[in-house]
Amino acid sequence: MGLSAGCAEVSYPPDIDDAERERLVQTIKDWGIAHGLAVRPPPAVIASDADPQGILATNAPVTLFPSPFPKSSFEEAKAVQTAYNKLYADVSRDEAFLGQIVQEVSGDDFISQLWHVHQRVKAEGYVQKLSLGLFRSDYMVHQDSTDPTKAPQIKQVEFNTIASSFGGLSSKTCELHRFLASTEYPQLKQSNANHGYDLPENDSAKGLAAGIKAAHDAYGDSALGHQRCVLFLVQGGERNVFDQRHLEYALQSLSPGLLVFRLPFAEILQRTSIAQTDRRQLLYKSPTNPDKVFEVSVVYLRAGYGPGDYPTPADWDARYQIERSNAIKCPTVLTQLAGAKKVQQVLATPVTQSQPSELHRFVPDDSGASKQIRNTFTHIYPLDDSEAGQQARKLALDPKECLKYVLKPQREGGGNNYYKAKIPAHLNSVPEESWKSYILMELITPPPVANIILRNGSLEQGGVICELGIYGTCVWDQGTGDVVHNAEAGYLLRTKGDQSEEGGVAAGFGCMDSCTLV
Ligand code: ADP
Ligand code: MG
Ligand code: MG
């Protein structure tokens, strides 16, 4: 995929000649491997038998330069994060509200199955009151294309409550651009390369690890006298393993001696069990030392966010085993459900003229937090048979109107949405009863930015679209709502070619980037 060449008037990135470019690329390639800004090789390499021992790693795709990002928008997004953490903690505690959401998207089997896990555990009683959220609120800068003099506004794309990734690689990318700004950029012939970068600090790996540590510390000692450990539940064949490892290493440097085990989601029932006690401690048997049993304080899910991780009924039993245990879950099933796109729509959609939205259920309308949060909302509509839903259906099916929207099902992980002209065709291809499990969202249109992406050793230069993610960590009591820990935890900038609709780095469309504030 090449980038569009429509940004000739933008003097960024610096105009560099072939020799400078080659040198910069070589520096980035080496720095990336030396510092773990890397991923495992793609499936084609594995399939070709070129890596039978599983020892190869390759550069994660990155921009050669940090992308300019409006400082006011960046600061606004960071400032609202702790309010968002508290909001989503409270949403996850509101079982009646979530039950209503599940009802409203009842055509979605995956959401119904998650809800079923919650109901099974509720029937026997939850033993662990504390929950851990490692969240990421994603934004784009919206620039009114009809009035470029209007100030850019930060608008939320989505709020992630499960497997919010790239915190590990993001701090490394910021470090890379800082390194280049002090060593390589000043050497470029075009002196505009040295026009004063404003590169904000970013310790997302440490910030997320601090969230896990807060939960681990709050768990308390093992009443059974076992050594405690943290479990990372992962997907088999994960390419983005170094991103996860950076979190693990950051956690171990915050809590020296703390053991972290990586467990494929498919092996939960084989390697874990529930103690026969009232507390239902989660026990983990290490494959290398089967006689030794550990007590799991925190389970961090980097898997289980989509139907693909549950190919058999046993995989649902595995999720149930985790959920009913005493381990602190990141996330619980309820917290995962709180991240459903339907929740975001319900929080953002006005109910009546006088009542802005269901947000008031969680955050008082006249509070500063409510205003801050509402400022980040863009228009999102239901596709149900309510009046608002009927109107949205008309927009979605209209060949001209639909060009302003993206249609989203209740899915995570990228690659699931339908854009613009593809919306009517998709809706017409599925039964009308299932339309209510989608939401329709106005497209956010960022101002033009240009950059150069290094992906698989090749360069792509041209117009790019940047998506900012702000990480947040929260530990709360699911019963009382008491908050044990609530912090903003750094940022992610993901960038994609402006001709691409999806921006997931892992899905192969986007790349890692960092902000230079303007
Ligand atoms: P997922 O949970 O699969 O990541 P997202 O809601 O983040 O789903 O959508 C995936 C991608 O689609 C985003 O990263 C972004 O690039 C694009 N996208 C989503 N919503 C919008 C929007 N309202 N305007 C512009 N692009 C969007
Ligand atoms: Mg998501
Ligand atoms: Mg997303």
Side-chain angles (χ1 to χ4, degrees):
M1 178 195 65
L3 305 182
S4 79
C7 291
E9 75 284 8
V10 182
S11 66
Y12 196 88
D15 192 13
I16 48 179
D17 65 29
D18 289 351
E20 289 174 324
R21 188 179 291 236
E22 207 171 298
R23 184 182 147 81
L24 195 53
V25 164
Q26 193 55 51
T27 302
I28 292 175
K29 284 182 187 168
D30 292 345
W31 194 99
I33 294 301
H35 294 80
L37 180 46
V39 291
R40 287 289 180 199
V45 173
I46 308 291
S48 71
D49 230 10
D51 187 23
Q53 309 294 339
I55 53 169
L56 295 184
T58 183
N59 293 100
V62 287
T63 54
L64 297 198
F65 296 92
S67 288
F69 198 92
K71 188 173 182 145
S72 57
S73 299
F74 183 83
E75 283 169 356
E76 204 181 320
K78 276 179 95 105
V80 70
Q81 188 59 37
T82 53
Y84 260 125
N85 293 343
K86 179 74 169 71
L87 167 63
Y88 274 87
D90 287 340
V91 170
S92 90
R93 294 176 50 236
D94 193 335
E95 199 214 5
F97 175 79
L98 287 174
Q100 183 67 32
I101 295 284
V102 170
Q103 195 67 35
E104 285 173 26
V105 297
S106 56
D108 190 308
D109 198 38
F110 181 63
I111 298 281
S112 303
Q113 280 180 291
L114 283 172
W115 184 249
H116 181 60
V117 171
H118 159 64
Q119 285 188 311
R120 278 177 80 186
V121 180
K122 191 187 165 196
E124 61 184 332
Y126 278 90
V127 286
Q128 179 56 258
K129 290 205 160 50
L130 296 176
S131 289
L132 168 64
L134 298 190
F135 299 138
R136 200 187 67 222
S137 187
D138 289 339
Y139 305 90
M140 283 180 183
V141 171
H142 183 68
Q143 180 81 62
D144 189 340
S145 55
T146 58
D147 185 1
T149 60
K150 267 199 189 160
Q153 292 174 296
I154 191 91
K155 292 294 174 193
Q156 188 180 57
V157 172
E158 64 151 346
F159 192 90
N160 294 291
T161 60
I162 182 164
S164 311
S165 51
F166 294 111
L169 295 189
S170 183
S171 14
K172 294 291 167 192
T173 310
C174 296
E175 223 182 287
L176 165 69
H177 286 153
R178 272 172 183 282
F179 168 73
L180 297 173
S182 66
T183 57
E184 296 290 317
Y185 301 158
Q187 313 301 321
L188 302 176
K189 281 190 210 96
Q190 285 279 334
S191 57
N192 72 345
N194 198 19
H195 61 45
Y197 289 93
D198 181 355
L199 306 174
E201 287 284 340
N202 183 35
D203 226 338
S204 43
K206 201 168 155 197
L208 292 170
I212 301 177
K213 179 182 186 313
H216 173 78
D217 291 347
Y219 181 88
D221 293 332
S222 166
L224 303 174
H226 295 307
Q227 186 174 357
R228 295 177 305 157
C229 73
V230 169
L231 266 194
F232 281 23
L233 289 183
V234 299
Q235 293 179 324
E238 175 65 78
R239 285 189 68 202
N240 197 23
V241 59
F242 304 113
D243 177 52
Q244 303 173 353
R245 287 286 192 187
H246 287 309
L247 251 60
E248 174 186 333
Y249 304 148
L251 178 57
Q252 280 151 337
S253 63
L254 291 175
S255 278
L258 174 57
L259 287 177
V260 174
F261 295 105
R262 296 172 57 79
L263 178 63
F265 196 86
E267 291 174 26
I268 292 172
L269 293 176
Q270 210 179 317
R271 301 246 71 90
T272 72
S273 60
I274 302 278
Q276 303 292 316
T277 66
D278 290 347
R279 290 297 304 171
R280 288 187 232 135
Q281 290 92 342
L282 183 66
L283 305 177
Y284 174 75
K285 258 189 318 198
S286 144
T288 47
N289 187 358
D291 298 332
K292 173 129 189 186
V293 171
F294 299 88
E295 180 169 335
V296 182
S297 58
V298 179
V299 179
Y300 172 48
L301 281 85
R302 289 294 291 260
Y305 53 81
D309 287 327
Y310 304 82
T312 69
D315 299 299
W316 284 107
D317 289 340
R319 183 68 190 267
Y320 167 65
Q321 172 144 308
I322 300 295
E323 193 68 11
R324 68 190 290 264
S325 80
N326 189 45
I328 299 177
K329 273 76 69 182
C330 177
T332 61
V333 163
L334 288 178
T335 305
Q336 180 172 354
L337 288 167
K341 294 185 169 70
K342 183 71 190 172
V343 169
Q344 186 195 11
Q345 176 259 303
V346 169
L347 294 177
T349 305
V351 179
T352 61
Q353 290 274 317
S354 57
Q355 188 184 322
S357 81
E358 289 287 349
L359 181 64
H360 77 115
R361 189 176 175 126
F362 306 102
V363 190
D365 274 341
D366 52 3
S367 64
S370 175
K371 185 156 186 287
Q372 267 182 311
I373 290 171
R374 276 187 281 122
N375 278 345
T376 66
F377 288 164
T378 187
H379 295 116
I380 314 180
Y381 304 100
L383 279 183
D384 54 17
D385 39 27
S386 68
E387 199 184 316
Q390 295 292 355
Q391 275 177 6
R393 287 176 180 204
K394 280 197 196 121
L395 297 174
L397 293 170
D398 185 284
K400 256 177 97 178
E401 289 296 330
C402 72
L403 302 178
K404 297 182 205 147
Y405 296 97
V406 47
L407 177 75
K408 302 188 184 182
Q410 308 304 310
R411 286 290 171 276
E412 293 301 324
N416 300 299
N417 299 339
Y418 299 87
Y419 296 85
K420 303 180 184 178
K422 298 198 184 93
I423 298 174
H426 179 69
L427 284 177
N428 286 321
S429 75
V430 298
E432 203 169 322
E433 304 87 78
S434 70
W435 291 6
K436 61 182 189 302
S437 63
Y438 293 82
I439 57 143
L440 187 72
M441 183 173 190
E442 205 166 66
L443 284 167
I444 307 165
T445 54
V449 173
N451 209 330
I452 307 170
I453 295 172
L454 174 63
R455 186 196 312 280
N456 298 329
S458 306
L459 294 174
E460 303 160 8
Q461 177 157 12
V464 295
I465 289 177
C466 301
E467 183 172 349
L468 177 73
I470 303 291
Y471 295 99
T473 57
C474 198
V475 180
W476 68 94
D477 185 308
Q478 190 71 9
T480 62
D482 290 346
V483 173
V484 177
H485 167 100
N486 182 3
E488 180 255 303
Y491 83 91
L492 162 71
L493 193 72
R494 270 179 310 174
T495 288
K496 61 182 180 177
D498 62 7
Q499 303 302 300
S500 156
E501 280 159 341
E502 289 273 342
V505 180
F509 308 99
C511 77
M512 302 298 300
D513 196 350
S514 79
C515 296
T516 178
L517 301 179
V518 291

